[in-house]
Amino acid sequence: QVQLVESGGGLVQAGGSLRLSCAASGRTFSRYSMAWFRQAPGKEREFVAGISWSGGGTYYVDSVKGRFTISRDNAKNTVYLQMNSLKPEDTAVYYCAADVKGEYVYWGQGTQVTVSS
């Protein structure tokens, strides 16, 4: 069992930055690929960024490439999402998730990110 807790969301002006954190419980965190998803009001949840268990591989949706960076610290059981040059369309609830054998089984409760224009 893995519990995920996100933090770092908030209100920021367009062009600003935020860093989200996702702290995981359990000793198996380093075994899992991790990802960030987001869900805006009235829209489906979408994949934002993913990172392999070692941190050697990272993946992004096209709309955030060059602006967002995903990273992880396995010693701290934490995955991060550094978000720069934020846009109003980045406004959403952001969730982290753990990939267990190809399926995102564990999810956090989400953290709200609001970007004002």
Side-chain angles (χ1 to χ4, degrees):
Q1 188 77 8
V2 175
Q3 291 186 326
L4 304 173
V5 179
E6 302 97 335
S7 61
L11 173 64
V12 64
Q13 289 188 333
S17 298
L18 284 173
R19 188 174 84 152
L20 306 183
S21 298
C22 173
S25 65
R27 294 174 292 178
T28 57
F29 171 79
S30 62
R31 298 181 186 177
Y32 304 133
S33 295
M34 299 292 296
W36 286 95
F37 289 76
R38 66 186 179 187
Q39 187 166 21
K43 295 187 177 181
E44 293 187 355
R45 185 167 55 194
E46 69 167 345
F47 172 88
V48 175
I51 188 166
S52 64
W53 67 271
S54 67
T58 56
Y59 317 91
Y60 300 92
V61 68
D62 286 347
S63 60
V64 308
K65 284 180 180 177
R67 299 189 299 122
F68 291 11
T69 303
I70 189 171
S71 62
R72 67 189 297 161
D73 185 337
N74 286 342
K76 295 182 178 180
N77 278 13
T78 302
V79 63
Y80 304 98
L81 186 67
Q82 177 67 43
M83 305 186 295
N84 299 328
S85 302
L86 282 161
K87 305 176 180 180
E89 52 263 44
D90 294 318
T91 295
V93 178
Y94 284 71
Y95 301 90
C96 66
D99 179 346
V100 180
K101 297 182 180 180
E103 182 178 355
Y104 290 104
V105 174
Y106 301 113
W107 293 83
Q109 83 289 348
T111 186
Q112 176 71 46
V113 171
T114 303
V115 184
S116 63
S117 57

